[in-house]
Amino acid sequence: MTRFSKDFIFGTATSSYQIEGAYKEDGRSLSIWDTFSRIPGKVWNMDHGDVACDHYHRYEEDVEILTTLGVDSYRFSIAWPRIFPEQGKYNPAGMDFYKRLITKLKENNIKPSVTLYHWDLPMWAHELGGWTNRESVNWFKEFASICFEELDADVDSWITHNEPWCAGFLGYHQGVHAPGHTNMEEALKAVHHILLSHGEAVDLLKNQFQSKTPIGITLNLSPVYAASNSTNDRLAANNADGYGNRWFLDPVFKGSYPVDMMNLFSKYVHDYRFIQAGDLEKISIECDFFGINYYSRSIVEFSSAADFLYKGAYSDYDQTGMGWDIAPNEFKELIRRLREEYTNLPIYITENGAAFDDVVAEDGRVYDTERQKYVEEHIAAVADLNDEGMNIAGYYLWSLLDNFEWAFGYDKRFGITYVDFETQKRTLKETGHRYADVIRTRTI
Ligand code: IFM
């Protein structure tokens, strides 16, 4: 029984800071993650991305892994500090790396899916206020513009931003990601400017470059459930959904911010004039597809002590090594809701995967059975959703390689390829072998 059409895109995903290393090479300047990871207490073990998977030097070997897997597409991101190490100063040597990578992918019939921003903001931009400064929209446009000019002819799809929730809320509100700020007003401004820069980049590609290459944005979404049916817990779930999902979905698809959340956030933000006339029209510009990163569901309960009146509740679900609930059924509910409330655009699952504590067995293989089960269940969910007519056009497994998992450093392994960070030896895990079978047979 074939469950995936020949046009369905199977891929794997990575991001620049998490795998590239070569942090000072060919003119690259520092990003906020180079700096943040050096602040004691911010990243597990004080790990950083100086070398990471050394992908900058080993990309050919990594493309070979992709060919072994037989993927249709590979999703990666571009390090902005390689392209503009200083404000306004284009660095062609940095761009050359992505040209070499794309050439290699094309030689192997692998479609490049390129994300412009996966969190490595150049330090020069941060020093000017980062995403809280409305000028960041223009800096991003300049960056996007040169990427389109140099690469568009060979790129199969563009993603403007990866997970603005993380860049905005983890970075500027919760302080657990770079730049490590804890200020809700800054966070809302940062998110707004990130979303606005998304709209500007889409406009640029379509209207100025007159390009037909599909472009979209990727949001990380987690369906929220109330721990009980009580009024309080339902209020908690509403607020958690507003903070995690609707604050992003509503502007992108409806051209408005959710008013209940504006009220709640007004505890910290007394002036919303950073949202200027015309911004929301720009943010809700028509795209060609919608990218979703899905990992887990959330379950919450009321807490009068919590800022936005909710906190995580007890869950009896099996969990991944991140402590995240394994919830493929809730993934289906999320997609059905998106179809009902938000969009008919083709959906790509631009990330899905799981971290577990992997070990290399004596025979040299990595028997990551829990990850394999997780991946199989989620791919089966995609097949079921498509049987229901939900139009999921592709699935990208996170991640091709074990890599720098942000505040968790190298402690959490999401890869379907095991990386020995001492020797840089790569070993395809059993999940990788299984994924190759799924891709080859188009069945699950
Ligand atoms: O590693 C991250 C990735 O950078 C963004 N999405 C979630 C992944 C796992 O936490």
Side-chain angles (χ1 to χ4, degrees), residues 126-369:
H126 172 67
E127 279 156 11
L128 296 169
W131 289 111
T132 68
N133 183 346
R134 194 175 166 96
E135 270 304 293
S136 57
V137 178
N138 289 327
W139 307 328
F140 184 77
K141 257 176 90 174
E142 191 181 20
F143 166 53
S145 177
I146 198 78
C147 292
F148 295 156
E149 195 176 312
E150 297 276 17
L151 307 177
D152 186 53
D154 291 312
V155 164
D156 283 81
S157 59
W158 291 102
I159 293 169
T160 53
H161 282 275
N162 181 71
E163 303 183 355
W165 181 85
C166 295
F169 285 177
L170 292 183
Y172 291 89
H173 176 223
Q174 299 186 22
V176 295
H177 275 195
H181 295 192
T182 49
N183 180 315
M184 190 58 186
E185 181 162 6
E186 281 190 13
L188 293 190
K189 283 185 185 162
V191 167
H192 185 68
H193 297 142
I194 289 171
L195 294 178
L196 187 55
S197 75
H198 150 73
E200 291 285 3
V202 175
D203 185 38
L204 189 70
L205 183 74
K206 286 184 177 300
N207 298 323
Q208 202 162 309
F209 283 82
Q210 298 274 311
S211 166
K212 296 277 173 267
T213 311
I215 186 165
I217 189 169
T218 279
L219 302 181
N220 55 309
L221 300 173
S222 176
V224 181
Y225 296 84
S228 81
N229 206 23
S230 72
T231 306
N232 276 0
D233 285 350
R234 283 188 289 119
L235 176 70
N238 175 76
N239 291 358
D241 181 53
Y243 181 87
N245 301 319
R246 288 184 291 120
W247 194 258
F248 302 85
L249 286 165
D250 283 21
V252 167
F253 291 109
K254 298 182 174 168
S256 60
Y257 283 109
V259 173
D260 62 327
M261 299 310 293
M262 290 181 86
N263 276 328
L264 196 62
F265 295 156
S266 63
K267 192 168 165 185
Y268 298 105
V269 184
H270 301 126
D271 184 350
Y272 279 105
R273 272 178 298 181
F274 61 86
I275 304 169
Q276 297 184 9
D279 285 0
L280 282 152
E281 285 74 17
K282 193 41 86 52
I283 291 172
S284 56
I285 188 170
E286 184 77 13
C287 291
D288 302 298
F289 63 86
F290 178 39
I292 296 169
N293 292 352
Y294 177 79
Y295 289 90
S296 184
R297 67 153 192 175
S298 312
I299 180 160
V300 298
E301 64 191 12
F302 183 79
S303 163
S304 59
D307 233 1
F308 302 131
L309 303 176
Y310 69 88
K311 64 176 188 191
Y314 168 76
S315 165
D316 57 4
Y317 277 34
D318 287 343
Q319 296 181 332
T320 70
M322 298 295 284
W324 297 347
D325 283 0
I326 300 175
N329 286 328
E330 287 80 352
F331 170 47
K332 294 194 212 174
E333 291 181 359
L334 167 72
I335 301 293
R336 292 184 195 119
R337 174 196 182 190
L338 295 171
R339 286 298 182 221
E340 241 176 75
E341 293 181 29
Y342 288 101
T343 182
N344 289 320
L345 287 177
I347 286 176
Y348 285 86
I349 307 306
T350 42
E351 286 180 27
N352 173 247
F356 287 104
D357 291 336
D358 300 310
V359 284
V360 183
E362 272 182 15
D363 62 3
R365 297 180 75 113
V366 181
Y367 295 96
D368 56 337
T369 45

Side-chain angles (χ1 to χ4, degrees), residues 20 55-56 59 82 93-101:
E20 284 178 1
H55 171 77
Y56 194 81
Y59 72 93
R82 291 197 195 281
M95 187 65 87
D96 281 350
F97 168 68
Y98 299 103
K99 289 186 179 169
R100 292 196 297 277
L101 171 62

Side-chain angles (χ1 to χ4, degrees), residues 18 118-119 162-163 293 295 324 351 398 405-406 414:
Q18 292 180 275
H118 198 127
W119 313 348
N162 181 71
E163 303 183 355
N293 292 352
Y295 289 90
W324 297 347
E351 286 180 27
W398 184 272
E405 178 52 26
W406 308 112
F414 272 92

Side-chain angles (χ1 to χ4, degrees), residues 5-18:
S5 74
K6 65 173 181 8
D7 302 326
F8 186 87
I9 299 288
F10 282 108
T12 65
T14 61
S15 87
S16 45
Y17 189 74
Q18 292 180 275

